[in-house]
Short mmCIF file of all heavy atoms in Angstrom, two decimals:
data_model
loop_
_atom_site.label_atom_id
_atom_site.label_comp_id
_atom_site.label_asym_id
_atom_site.label_seq_id
_atom_site.Cartn_x
_atom_site.Cartn_y
_atom_site.Cartn_z
N MET J 1 151.86 131.08 67.39
CA MET J 1 152.07 131.62 68.71
C MET J 1 150.96 131.42 69.71
O MET J 1 151.19 131.44 70.93
CB MET J 1 152.34 133.15 68.50
CG MET J 1 153.44 133.81 69.33
SD MET J 1 154.96 132.91 69.36
CE MET J 1 155.91 134.10 70.13
N GLU J 2 149.80 131.10 69.26
CA GLU J 2 148.65 130.82 70.11
C GLU J 2 148.81 129.69 70.91
O GLU J 2 148.34 129.60 72.16
CB GLU J 2 147.35 130.66 69.21
CG GLU J 2 146.12 130.73 70.02
CD GLU J 2 145.86 132.00 70.68
OE1 GLU J 2 146.19 133.03 70.12
OE2 GLU J 2 145.38 132.01 71.92
N ILE J 3 149.51 128.62 70.46
CA ILE J 3 149.83 127.48 71.29
C ILE J 3 150.66 127.85 72.61
O ILE J 3 150.38 127.38 73.67
CB ILE J 3 150.58 126.34 70.51
CG1 ILE J 3 149.67 125.82 69.41
CG2 ILE J 3 151.06 125.22 71.45
CD1 ILE J 3 150.33 124.91 68.45
N ILE J 4 151.60 128.70 72.36
CA ILE J 4 152.39 129.23 73.51
C ILE J 4 151.55 129.92 74.54
O ILE J 4 151.63 129.69 75.74
CB ILE J 4 153.60 130.05 72.97
CG1 ILE J 4 154.56 129.15 72.16
CG2 ILE J 4 154.25 130.73 74.15
CD1 ILE J 4 155.64 129.95 71.55
N LEU J 5 150.70 130.81 73.99
CA LEU J 5 149.80 131.54 74.96
C LEU J 5 148.90 130.62 75.70
O LEU J 5 148.70 130.72 76.92
CB LEU J 5 148.95 132.57 74.15
CG LEU J 5 148.06 133.42 75.01
CD1 LEU J 5 148.85 134.22 76.05
CD2 LEU J 5 147.29 134.38 74.14
N ASP J 6 148.32 129.68 75.02
CA ASP J 6 147.41 128.63 75.67
C ASP J 6 148.25 127.86 76.74
O ASP J 6 147.73 127.62 77.77
CB ASP J 6 146.90 127.67 74.66
CG ASP J 6 145.85 128.28 73.70
OD1 ASP J 6 145.36 129.38 74.04
OD2 ASP J 6 145.60 127.61 72.70
N ASN J 7 149.50 127.53 76.44
CA ASN J 7 150.31 126.82 77.36
C ASN J 7 150.59 127.70 78.62
O ASN J 7 150.61 127.16 79.75
CB ASN J 7 151.65 126.37 76.74
CG ASN J 7 151.44 125.25 75.74
OD1 ASN J 7 150.44 124.65 75.68
ND2 ASN J 7 152.47 125.01 74.96
N LEU J 8 150.85 128.90 78.39
CA LEU J 8 151.13 129.84 79.52
C LEU J 8 149.87 130.00 80.34
O LEU J 8 149.98 129.92 81.61
CB LEU J 8 151.53 131.28 79.00
CG LEU J 8 152.88 131.34 78.36
CD1 LEU J 8 153.14 132.73 77.73
CD2 LEU J 8 154.02 131.17 79.40
N VAL J 9 148.70 130.17 79.80
CA VAL J 9 147.45 130.23 80.52
C VAL J 9 147.23 129.01 81.37
O VAL J 9 146.84 129.03 82.53
CB VAL J 9 146.29 130.53 79.58
CG1 VAL J 9 144.96 130.48 80.25
CG2 VAL J 9 146.49 131.97 78.98
N GLU J 10 147.47 127.82 80.73
CA GLU J 10 147.24 126.57 81.46
C GLU J 10 148.23 126.41 82.50
O GLU J 10 147.92 125.92 83.71
CB GLU J 10 147.24 125.38 80.47
CG GLU J 10 147.08 124.03 81.09
CD GLU J 10 145.80 123.85 81.83
OE1 GLU J 10 144.79 124.55 81.63
OE2 GLU J 10 145.68 122.98 82.73
N ALA J 11 149.51 126.79 82.37
CA ALA J 11 150.49 126.67 83.37
C ALA J 11 150.15 127.56 84.52
O ALA J 11 150.21 127.14 85.70
CB ALA J 11 151.81 127.02 82.88
N LYS J 12 149.67 128.76 84.25
CA LYS J 12 149.21 129.67 85.37
C LYS J 12 148.13 129.09 86.09
O LYS J 12 148.06 129.11 87.36
CB LYS J 12 148.86 131.01 84.78
CG LYS J 12 148.43 132.00 85.86
CD LYS J 12 147.87 133.26 85.22
CE LYS J 12 147.33 134.19 86.33
NZ LYS J 12 146.36 133.65 87.25
N ARG J 13 147.12 128.49 85.41
CA ARG J 13 145.95 127.86 86.16
C ARG J 13 146.48 126.71 87.10
O ARG J 13 145.99 126.61 88.21
CB ARG J 13 144.96 127.32 85.06
CG ARG J 13 143.66 126.87 85.71
CD ARG J 13 142.68 126.32 84.59
NE ARG J 13 143.08 125.03 84.10
CZ ARG J 13 142.92 123.90 84.78
NH1 ARG J 13 142.32 123.91 85.93
NH2 ARG J 13 143.21 122.71 84.22
N GLN J 14 147.41 125.91 86.54
CA GLN J 14 147.87 124.79 87.39
C GLN J 14 148.60 125.33 88.65
O GLN J 14 148.47 124.77 89.71
CB GLN J 14 148.80 123.90 86.53
CG GLN J 14 148.02 123.16 85.45
CD GLN J 14 146.94 122.17 85.99
OE1 GLN J 14 147.11 121.62 87.04
NE2 GLN J 14 145.84 122.04 85.35
N LEU J 15 149.42 126.37 88.42
CA LEU J 15 150.16 126.94 89.49
C LEU J 15 149.25 127.56 90.47
O LEU J 15 149.53 127.34 91.70
CB LEU J 15 151.21 127.96 88.98
CG LEU J 15 152.44 127.35 88.29
CD1 LEU J 15 153.22 128.49 87.54
CD2 LEU J 15 153.34 126.63 89.19
N ASP J 16 148.28 128.25 90.09
CA ASP J 16 147.24 128.91 90.98
C ASP J 16 146.63 127.78 91.90
O ASP J 16 146.51 127.96 93.02
CB ASP J 16 146.22 129.67 90.21
CG ASP J 16 146.72 130.98 89.68
OD1 ASP J 16 147.73 131.50 90.19
OD2 ASP J 16 146.08 131.47 88.78
N SER J 17 146.31 126.71 91.29
CA SER J 17 145.66 125.59 91.93
C SER J 17 146.62 125.02 93.03
O SER J 17 146.25 124.75 94.22
CB SER J 17 145.21 124.46 91.03
OG SER J 17 144.79 123.34 91.72
N THR J 18 147.89 124.85 92.58
CA THR J 18 148.84 124.27 93.54
C THR J 18 149.10 125.24 94.69
O THR J 18 149.26 124.87 95.87
CB THR J 18 150.17 123.94 92.80
OG1 THR J 18 149.90 123.09 91.77
CG2 THR J 18 151.25 123.41 93.71
N ILE J 19 149.18 126.49 94.37
CA ILE J 19 149.34 127.53 95.44
C ILE J 19 148.26 127.50 96.48
O ILE J 19 148.48 127.51 97.66
CB ILE J 19 149.45 129.00 94.86
CG1 ILE J 19 150.82 129.08 94.05
CG2 ILE J 19 149.35 130.11 95.91
CD1 ILE J 19 150.87 130.38 93.19
N HIS J 20 147.04 127.43 95.96
CA HIS J 20 145.90 127.27 96.85
C HIS J 20 145.97 126.05 97.78
O HIS J 20 145.75 126.14 99.01
CB HIS J 20 144.59 127.23 95.97
CG HIS J 20 143.40 126.98 96.77
ND1 HIS J 20 142.76 127.98 97.65
CD2 HIS J 20 142.63 125.85 96.98
CE1 HIS J 20 141.77 127.48 98.26
NE2 HIS J 20 141.62 126.26 97.90
N LYS J 21 146.33 124.89 97.14
CA LYS J 21 146.40 123.72 97.98
C LYS J 21 147.49 123.82 99.01
O LYS J 21 147.41 123.37 100.12
CB LYS J 21 146.64 122.51 97.04
CG LYS J 21 145.46 122.12 96.26
CD LYS J 21 145.73 121.06 95.17
CE LYS J 21 144.57 120.85 94.31
NZ LYS J 21 144.87 119.97 93.18
N LEU J 22 148.67 124.39 98.65
CA LEU J 22 149.75 124.59 99.60
C LEU J 22 149.39 125.46 100.71
O LEU J 22 149.75 125.30 101.83
CB LEU J 22 151.01 125.08 98.89
CG LEU J 22 151.80 124.03 97.96
CD1 LEU J 22 152.77 124.73 97.14
CD2 LEU J 22 152.49 123.05 99.00
N LYS J 23 148.73 126.56 100.38
CA LYS J 23 148.22 127.48 101.45
C LYS J 23 147.35 126.78 102.42
O LYS J 23 147.39 126.99 103.62
CB LYS J 23 147.56 128.68 100.83
CG LYS J 23 148.55 129.75 100.24
CD LYS J 23 147.87 130.91 99.66
CE LYS J 23 148.93 131.87 99.05
NZ LYS J 23 148.31 133.06 98.53
N GLU J 24 146.42 125.94 101.91
CA GLU J 24 145.56 125.18 102.75
C GLU J 24 146.36 124.19 103.66
O GLU J 24 146.01 124.00 104.83
CB GLU J 24 144.43 124.46 101.95
CG GLU J 24 143.45 125.42 101.26
CD GLU J 24 142.66 126.24 102.32
OE1 GLU J 24 142.19 125.69 103.31
OE2 GLU J 24 142.59 127.43 102.07
N THR J 25 147.34 123.60 103.10
CA THR J 25 148.26 122.69 103.85
C THR J 25 148.91 123.40 104.92
O THR J 25 149.01 122.89 106.16
CB THR J 25 149.29 122.07 102.82
OG1 THR J 25 148.61 121.32 101.88
CG2 THR J 25 150.23 121.22 103.66
N VAL J 26 149.43 124.62 104.65
CA VAL J 26 150.08 125.36 105.74
C VAL J 26 149.07 125.70 106.84
O VAL J 26 149.41 125.55 108.06
CB VAL J 26 150.69 126.73 105.14
CG1 VAL J 26 151.23 127.64 106.26
CG2 VAL J 26 151.88 126.35 104.22
N LYS J 27 147.89 126.10 106.50
CA LYS J 27 146.93 126.43 107.52
C LYS J 27 146.59 125.19 108.39
O LYS J 27 146.52 125.31 109.59
CB LYS J 27 145.56 126.89 106.83
CG LYS J 27 145.54 128.29 106.36
CD LYS J 27 144.16 128.57 105.78
CE LYS J 27 144.08 129.70 104.89
NZ LYS J 27 142.82 129.95 104.26
N THR J 28 146.49 124.11 107.73
CA THR J 28 146.20 122.82 108.40
C THR J 28 147.35 122.50 109.45
O THR J 28 147.08 122.21 110.58
CB THR J 28 146.00 121.70 107.51
OG1 THR J 28 144.85 121.96 106.65
CG2 THR J 28 145.84 120.36 108.23
N LEU J 29 148.46 122.54 108.88
CA LEU J 29 149.73 122.22 109.74
C LEU J 29 149.89 123.21 110.85
O LEU J 29 150.21 122.85 112.01
CB LEU J 29 150.99 122.13 108.87
CG LEU J 29 151.07 120.92 107.79
CD1 LEU J 29 152.25 121.11 106.98
CD2 LEU J 29 151.02 119.64 108.60
N GLU J 30 149.67 124.49 110.58
CA GLU J 30 149.85 125.49 111.69
C GLU J 30 148.71 125.36 112.70
O GLU J 30 148.84 125.78 113.80
CB GLU J 30 149.80 126.92 111.01
CG GLU J 30 151.07 127.22 110.31
CD GLU J 30 150.99 128.59 109.63
OE1 GLU J 30 149.98 129.10 109.35
OE2 GLU J 30 152.13 129.09 109.39
N GLY J 31 147.64 124.85 112.30
CA GLY J 31 146.47 124.61 113.22
C GLY J 31 146.50 123.34 114.09
O GLY J 31 145.69 123.13 114.93
N LYS J 32 147.53 122.47 113.77
CA LYS J 32 147.69 121.30 114.57
C LYS J 32 148.05 121.61 116.06
O LYS J 32 148.48 122.73 116.33
CB LYS J 32 148.79 120.47 114.01
CG LYS J 32 148.57 119.94 112.59
CD LYS J 32 147.79 118.65 112.63
CE LYS J 32 147.63 118.05 111.21
NZ LYS J 32 146.92 116.87 111.24
N GLU J 33 147.83 120.70 116.87
CA GLU J 33 148.11 120.84 118.33
C GLU J 33 149.51 121.21 118.60
O GLU J 33 149.75 122.08 119.46
CB GLU J 33 147.78 119.55 119.05
CG GLU J 33 147.75 119.73 120.53
CD GLU J 33 147.26 118.45 121.26
OE1 GLU J 33 146.20 117.95 120.90
OE2 GLU J 33 147.95 118.00 122.19
N ASN J 34 150.45 120.69 117.92
CA ASN J 34 151.89 120.99 118.15
C ASN J 34 152.47 121.41 116.72
O ASN J 34 153.22 120.59 116.09
CB ASN J 34 152.60 119.79 118.72
CG ASN J 34 154.05 120.25 119.08
OD1 ASN J 34 154.51 121.33 118.92
ND2 ASN J 34 154.82 119.26 119.62
N PRO J 35 152.29 122.67 116.31
CA PRO J 35 152.70 123.01 114.97
C PRO J 35 154.29 122.97 114.78
O PRO J 35 154.82 122.87 113.73
CB PRO J 35 152.19 124.41 114.73
CG PRO J 35 151.77 124.90 116.11
CD PRO J 35 151.43 123.71 116.93
N ASN J 36 155.01 123.18 115.91
CA ASN J 36 156.50 123.08 115.85
C ASN J 36 156.95 121.75 115.36
O ASN J 36 157.97 121.63 114.67
CB ASN J 36 157.13 123.40 117.18
CG ASN J 36 157.00 124.87 117.46
OD1 ASN J 36 156.95 125.75 116.57
ND2 ASN J 36 157.02 125.21 118.77
N ARG J 37 156.12 120.76 115.58
CA ARG J 37 156.51 119.37 115.07
C ARG J 37 156.54 119.29 113.60
O ARG J 37 157.24 118.50 112.90
CB ARG J 37 155.45 118.41 115.62
CG ARG J 37 155.74 116.96 115.24
CD ARG J 37 154.66 116.14 115.86
NE ARG J 37 154.84 114.73 115.46
CZ ARG J 37 154.00 113.76 115.59
NH1 ARG J 37 152.77 114.07 116.17
NH2 ARG J 37 154.21 112.64 115.15
N TYR J 38 155.75 120.23 112.93
CA TYR J 38 155.63 120.35 111.45
C TYR J 38 156.39 121.49 110.86
O TYR J 38 156.18 121.87 109.72
CB TYR J 38 154.23 120.36 111.06
CG TYR J 38 153.35 119.18 111.65
CD1 TYR J 38 152.64 119.49 112.82
CD2 TYR J 38 153.45 118.01 111.09
CE1 TYR J 38 151.89 118.45 113.29
CE2 TYR J 38 152.73 116.94 111.60
CZ TYR J 38 151.93 117.12 112.77
OH TYR J 38 151.19 116.15 113.32
N LYS J 39 157.32 122.05 111.63
CA LYS J 39 158.11 123.23 111.18
C LYS J 39 158.77 123.08 109.86
O LYS J 39 158.62 124.01 109.00
CB LYS J 39 159.07 123.66 112.29
CG LYS J 39 159.76 124.99 111.97
CD LYS J 39 160.62 125.37 113.26
CE LYS J 39 161.38 126.63 113.00
NZ LYS J 39 160.79 127.81 112.39
N SER J 40 159.37 122.04 109.62
CA SER J 40 160.11 121.87 108.29
C SER J 40 159.14 121.74 107.22
O SER J 40 159.40 122.24 106.11
CB SER J 40 161.10 120.69 108.39
OG SER J 40 160.35 119.41 108.56
N GLN J 41 158.01 121.01 107.39
CA GLN J 41 157.07 120.82 106.40
C GLN J 41 156.40 122.22 106.04
O GLN J 41 156.11 122.51 104.92
CB GLN J 41 156.00 119.84 106.77
CG GLN J 41 156.55 118.41 106.75
CD GLN J 41 155.59 117.52 107.45
OE1 GLN J 41 155.31 117.70 108.71
NE2 GLN J 41 154.99 116.50 106.71
N ILE J 42 156.12 123.01 107.10
CA ILE J 42 155.49 124.28 106.93
C ILE J 42 156.51 125.23 106.13
O ILE J 42 156.14 125.90 105.14
CB ILE J 42 155.17 124.93 108.22
CG1 ILE J 42 153.98 124.16 108.91
CG2 ILE J 42 154.80 126.41 108.11
CD1 ILE J 42 153.75 124.54 110.33
N THR J 43 157.74 125.18 106.52
CA THR J 43 158.77 126.01 105.79
C THR J 43 158.89 125.64 104.35
O THR J 43 158.94 126.44 103.46
CB THR J 43 160.19 125.81 106.51
OG1 THR J 43 160.02 126.33 107.88
CG2 THR J 43 161.18 126.73 105.81
N LEU J 44 158.93 124.30 104.07
CA LEU J 44 159.00 123.85 102.68
C LEU J 44 157.83 124.31 101.90
O LEU J 44 157.98 124.84 100.76
CB LEU J 44 159.10 122.32 102.69
CG LEU J 44 159.14 121.65 101.29
CD1 LEU J 44 160.38 122.15 100.52
CD2 LEU J 44 159.13 120.13 101.45
N ALA J 45 156.62 124.20 102.48
CA ALA J 45 155.42 124.63 101.72
C ALA J 45 155.44 126.12 101.47
O ALA J 45 155.11 126.53 100.43
CB ALA J 45 154.19 124.15 102.54
N GLN J 46 155.88 126.88 102.52
CA GLN J 46 155.95 128.37 102.33
C GLN J 46 156.91 128.72 101.21
O GLN J 46 156.67 129.63 100.43
CB GLN J 46 156.20 129.03 103.61
CG GLN J 46 155.14 128.92 104.62
CD GLN J 46 155.59 129.32 106.07
OE1 GLN J 46 156.61 129.30 106.37
NE2 GLN J 46 154.53 129.88 106.75
N ARG J 47 158.09 128.05 101.21
CA ARG J 47 159.11 128.33 100.16
C ARG J 47 158.50 127.93 98.74
O ARG J 47 158.82 128.62 97.78
CB ARG J 47 160.35 127.58 100.47
CG ARG J 47 161.13 128.13 101.55
CD ARG J 47 162.38 127.40 101.87
NE ARG J 47 163.09 128.08 103.08
CZ ARG J 47 164.05 127.43 103.69
NH1 ARG J 47 164.46 126.29 103.33
NH2 ARG J 47 164.61 128.07 104.69
N ARG J 48 157.77 126.89 98.72
CA ARG J 48 157.24 126.46 97.41
C ARG J 48 156.23 127.53 97.04
O ARG J 48 156.07 127.86 95.82
CB ARG J 48 156.61 125.04 97.57
CG ARG J 48 157.67 124.00 97.54
CD ARG J 48 157.05 122.64 97.59
NE ARG J 48 158.05 121.60 97.48
CZ ARG J 48 157.93 120.33 97.83
NH1 ARG J 48 156.71 119.90 98.21
NH2 ARG J 48 158.93 119.49 97.65
N ILE J 49 155.35 127.97 97.89
CA ILE J 49 154.36 129.00 97.64
C ILE J 49 155.05 130.25 97.00
O ILE J 49 154.66 130.76 96.00
CB ILE J 49 153.56 129.43 98.84
CG1 ILE J 49 152.62 128.27 99.27
CG2 ILE J 49 152.79 130.71 98.57
CD1 ILE J 49 152.04 128.40 100.65
N GLU J 50 156.09 130.63 97.64
CA GLU J 50 156.91 131.86 97.13
C GLU J 50 157.42 131.61 95.71
O GLU J 50 157.31 132.44 94.84
CB GLU J 50 158.07 132.19 98.07
CG GLU J 50 157.61 132.83 99.40
CD GLU J 50 158.78 133.00 100.41
OE1 GLU J 50 159.97 132.90 99.95
OE2 GLU J 50 158.44 133.28 101.46
N ALA J 51 157.96 130.44 95.50
CA ALA J 51 158.54 130.11 94.14
C ALA J 51 157.45 130.02 93.09
O ALA J 51 157.62 130.61 92.06
CB ALA J 51 159.23 128.74 94.19
N PHE J 52 156.30 129.46 93.49
CA PHE J 52 155.20 129.35 92.53
C PHE J 52 154.57 130.68 92.28
O PHE J 52 154.15 131.00 91.17
CB PHE J 52 154.12 128.37 93.03
CG PHE J 52 154.52 126.94 92.94
CD1 PHE J 52 154.20 126.02 93.91
CD2 PHE J 52 155.27 126.46 91.93
CE1 PHE J 52 154.53 124.66 93.80
CE2 PHE J 52 155.72 125.10 91.85
CZ PHE J 52 155.32 124.21 92.85
N GLU J 53 154.49 131.56 93.26
CA GLU J 53 153.90 132.92 93.09
C GLU J 53 154.86 133.73 92.21
O GLU J 53 154.35 134.49 91.34
CB GLU J 53 153.75 133.67 94.42
CG GLU J 53 152.51 133.08 95.17
CD GLU J 53 152.34 133.65 96.61
OE1 GLU J 53 153.36 134.24 97.14
OE2 GLU J 53 151.20 133.61 97.06
N LEU J 54 156.18 133.59 92.30
CA LEU J 54 157.07 134.23 91.38
C LEU J 54 156.87 133.74 89.96
O LEU J 54 156.81 134.48 89.01
CB LEU J 54 158.54 133.95 91.81
CG LEU J 54 159.63 134.48 90.91
CD1 LEU J 54 159.51 135.99 90.65
CD2 LEU J 54 161.00 134.06 91.38
N SER J 55 156.65 132.44 89.84
CA SER J 55 156.43 131.81 88.52
C SER J 55 155.18 132.42 87.85
O SER J 55 155.12 132.74 86.65
CB SER J 55 156.31 130.27 88.57
OG SER J 55 157.55 129.76 89.03
N VAL J 56 154.13 132.56 88.69
CA VAL J 56 152.86 133.05 88.20
C VAL J 56 153.05 134.52 87.75
O VAL J 56 152.58 134.96 86.76
CB VAL J 56 151.72 132.97 89.32
CG1 VAL J 56 150.50 133.89 88.94
CG2 VAL J 56 151.30 131.57 89.52
N PHE J 57 153.83 135.27 88.53
CA PHE J 57 154.05 136.70 88.21
C PHE J 57 154.76 136.78 86.87
O PHE J 57 154.36 137.59 85.95
CB PHE J 57 154.93 137.38 89.34
CG PHE J 57 155.52 138.81 88.87
CD1 PHE J 57 154.66 139.85 88.94
CD2 PHE J 57 156.78 138.86 88.38
CE1 PHE J 57 155.17 141.09 88.55
CE2 PHE J 57 157.26 140.09 88.02
CZ PHE J 57 156.45 141.23 88.11
N LEU J 58 155.78 135.95 86.60
CA LEU J 58 156.54 135.98 85.41
C LEU J 58 155.61 135.48 84.23
O LEU J 58 155.68 136.07 83.10
CB LEU J 58 157.76 135.09 85.42
CG LEU J 58 158.82 135.58 86.47
CD1 LEU J 58 159.88 134.52 86.65
CD2 LEU J 58 159.35 136.91 85.99
N ILE J 59 154.81 134.50 84.48
CA ILE J 59 153.84 134.04 83.38
C ILE J 59 152.92 135.16 83.07
O ILE J 59 152.59 135.36 81.84
CB ILE J 59 153.09 132.72 83.83
CG1 ILE J 59 154.10 131.56 83.84
CG2 ILE J 59 151.94 132.43 82.88
CD1 ILE J 59 153.53 130.31 84.52
N GLU J 60 152.31 135.80 84.00
CA GLU J 60 151.38 136.91 83.78
C GLU J 60 152.05 137.98 82.99
O GLU J 60 151.50 138.63 82.11
CB GLU J 60 150.86 137.45 85.04
CG GLU J 60 149.84 136.52 85.79
CD GLU J 60 149.46 136.96 87.14
OE1 GLU J 60 150.17 137.82 87.78
OE2 GLU J 60 148.46 136.47 87.66
N ARG J 61 153.25 138.30 83.28
CA ARG J 61 154.02 139.32 82.55
C ARG J 61 154.23 138.84 81.08
O ARG J 61 154.08 139.70 80.15
CB ARG J 61 155.41 139.62 83.11
CG ARG J 61 156.16 140.77 82.58
CD ARG J 61 157.40 141.02 83.27
NE ARG J 61 158.37 140.04 83.10
CZ ARG J 61 159.55 139.96 83.64
NH1 ARG J 61 159.95 140.96 84.50
NH2 ARG J 61 160.40 138.99 83.46
N GLU J 62 154.53 137.57 80.91
CA GLU J 62 154.74 137.12 79.49
C GLU J 62 153.42 137.13 78.78
O GLU J 62 153.42 137.54 77.59
CB GLU J 62 155.25 135.58 79.64
CG GLU J 62 155.75 135.10 78.30
CD GLU J 62 156.96 135.77 77.73
OE1 GLU J 62 157.78 136.36 78.51
OE2 GLU J 62 157.07 135.83 76.51
N ILE J 63 152.29 136.80 79.42
CA ILE J 63 150.97 136.86 78.73
C ILE J 63 150.64 138.35 78.36
O ILE J 63 150.21 138.59 77.25
CB ILE J 63 149.88 136.25 79.72
CG1 ILE J 63 150.09 134.81 79.82
CG2 ILE J 63 148.53 136.65 79.17
CD1 ILE J 63 149.16 134.13 80.86
N ARG J 64 150.94 139.31 79.28
CA ARG J 64 150.66 140.70 78.94
C ARG J 64 151.55 141.14 77.76
O ARG J 64 151.08 141.81 76.87
CB ARG J 64 150.97 141.59 80.20
CG ARG J 64 149.90 141.69 81.25
CD ARG J 64 150.16 142.80 82.25
NE ARG J 64 151.39 142.75 82.82
CZ ARG J 64 151.78 142.03 83.90
NH1 ARG J 64 150.84 141.35 84.52
NH2 ARG J 64 152.95 142.07 84.45
N ASP J 65 152.81 140.79 77.80
CA ASP J 65 153.73 141.14 76.70
C ASP J 65 153.28 140.53 75.43
O ASP J 65 153.34 141.21 74.34
CB ASP J 65 155.19 140.75 77.02
CG ASP J 65 155.83 141.52 78.11
OD1 ASP J 65 155.21 142.50 78.53
OD2 ASP J 65 156.88 141.11 78.64
N HIS J 66 152.82 139.36 75.47
CA HIS J 66 152.25 138.65 74.27
C HIS J 66 151.08 139.34 73.72
O HIS J 66 150.93 139.56 72.52
CB HIS J 66 151.96 137.19 74.49
CG HIS J 66 151.48 136.45 73.36
ND1 HIS J 66 150.21 136.38 72.94
CD2 HIS J 66 152.17 135.72 72.43
CE1 HIS J 66 150.02 135.67 71.90
NE2 HIS J 66 151.25 135.20 71.52
N SER J 67 150.20 139.82 74.65
CA SER J 67 148.98 140.60 74.17
C SER J 67 149.37 141.86 73.62
O SER J 67 148.72 142.34 72.61
CB SER J 67 148.07 140.75 75.44
OG SER J 67 147.60 139.48 75.95
N LYS J 68 150.36 142.58 74.20
CA LYS J 68 150.74 143.84 73.62
C LYS J 68 151.32 143.70 72.20
O LYS J 68 151.06 144.54 71.40
CB LYS J 68 151.80 144.50 74.51
CG LYS J 68 151.27 145.09 75.82
CD LYS J 68 152.33 145.65 76.66
CE LYS J 68 151.91 146.04 78.03
NZ LYS J 68 153.03 146.57 78.87
N ASN J 69 152.10 142.71 72.06
CA ASN J 69 152.74 142.45 70.79
C ASN J 69 151.77 141.94 69.72
O ASN J 69 152.09 141.98 68.52
CB ASN J 69 153.95 141.43 70.91
CG ASN J 69 155.03 142.04 71.74
OD1 ASN J 69 155.25 143.24 71.81
ND2 ASN J 69 155.83 141.18 72.36
N SER J 70 150.71 141.40 70.15
CA SER J 70 149.68 140.88 69.17
C SER J 70 148.82 141.90 68.54
O SER J 70 148.15 141.74 67.53
CB SER J 70 148.79 139.85 69.88
OG SER J 70 149.58 138.77 70.28
N LYS J 71 148.79 143.10 69.20
CA LYS J 71 147.94 144.16 68.73
C LYS J 71 148.55 144.98 67.59
O LYS J 71 149.68 145.03 67.22
CB LYS J 71 147.55 145.12 69.81
CG LYS J 71 146.70 144.38 70.88
CD LYS J 71 146.42 145.39 71.97
CE LYS J 71 145.56 144.64 73.02
NZ LYS J 71 145.17 145.44 74.06
#
């Protein structure tokens, strides 16, 4: 079962990194001279952030449940 836990932890780490990069992308695009020009890209990035944050939440819950069951 440890392999699964290690995979969950690594997946969370990768998602956290991607969320950070997407948030920086949104900041950059919103800071452009004409942010409306990038509206669809901003929206796509924000939707991806929401999806990845949900994934992180579910992974964290799975890790907690795994920890409770291991005791």
Side-chain angles (χ1 to χ4, degrees):
M1 217 47 170
E2 192 63 35
I3 293 172
I4 292 173
L5 182 59
D6 290 345
N7 290 345
L8 289 170
V9 170
E10 179 60 20
K12 181 188 175 310
R13 190 180 74 77
Q14 293 297 326
L15 288 168
D16 286 338
S17 174
T18 302
I19 290 168
H20 174 75
K21 291 173 186 173
L22 283 168
K23 286 181 177 181
E24 292 301 314
T25 298
V26 169
K27 282 184 202 175
T28 299
L29 293 174
E30 289 177 338
K32 296 274 186 183
E33 189 172 312
N34 186 2
N36 286 334
R37 181 177 178 196
Y38 305 98
K39 186 171 172 49
S40 63
Q41 291 168 296
I42 292 168
T43 300
L44 177 62
Q46 290 170 332
R47 288 180 181 165
R48 286 179 174 168
I49 290 167
E50 289 174 12
F52 289 142
E53 286 176 339
L54 174 60
S55 298
V56 167
F57 171 79
L58 294 172
I59 289 171
E60 288 172 341
R61 185 173 71 182
E62 192 65 29
I63 291 169
R64 278 193 309 273
D65 289 350
H66 183 272
S67 297
K68 287 179 187 176
N69 293 334
S70 296
K71 292 180 181 180

